[in-house]
Amino acid sequence: MSDVNIKITDREGVTHDVVAPTDMSMNLMEIIRSYELAEEGTIGVCGGMAMCASCQVYVINDPGLEPMGDEEDAMLAEAFHVKDNSRLGCQLHIVDAMEGLEVEIAPYP
């Protein structure tokens, strides 16, 4: 059992240091929800299927994330508030390589 430390800046600009387990098959969207860092109903609207972009985050520090997949890329092509460093939290599965990850939650449409 191991955990990683992640910094998440919420939509109000407050940065939270969170601990995320690597052994529970969770993704970043689920971590944000479990720590209640976004208002209920404004994150993970599609349930983590890469179909709504409500879990979009901006990657501030990338310690070695997996490359973006086609579904994620296609959803971000249609999303609001997209930047060059945008990713979907539901597509970022918590793994050891995420130690030191820093993200900011994108505005909700």
Side-chain angles (χ1 to χ4, degrees), residues 86-105:
S86 289
R87 294 294 302 263
L88 296 181
C90 68
Q91 300 301 299
L92 299 175
H93 300 280
I94 306 298
V95 295
D96 290 331
M98 284 185 162
E99 177 66 37
L101 175 67
E102 294 181 39
V103 298
E104 176 185 349
I105 304 171

Side-chain angles (χ1 to χ4, degrees), residues 4 11-13 30 33 35 38 44 46 49 61 67 75 84 91 94:
V4 293
R11 292 180 177 135
E12 306 300 318
E30 293 167 327
R33 289 173 86 172
Y35 278 90
C46 73
M49 303 298 293
N61 178 46
M75 183 67 252
D84 290 342
Q91 300 301 299
I94 306 298

Side-chain angles (χ1 to χ4, degrees), residues 27 29-30 33 43-57 67-79 87-93:
N27 60 48
M29 176 204 74
E30 293 167 327
R33 289 173 86 172
I43 190 152
V45 175
C46 73
M49 303 298 293
M51 297 175 65
C52 73
S54 66
C55 64
Q56 180 185 179
V57 297
M68 187 180 307
D70 292 339
E71 288 180 2
E72 181 180 5
D73 190 34
M75 183 67 252
L76 286 170
E78 299 176 15
R87 294 294 302 263
L88 296 181
C90 68
Q91 300 301 299
L92 299 175
H93 300 280

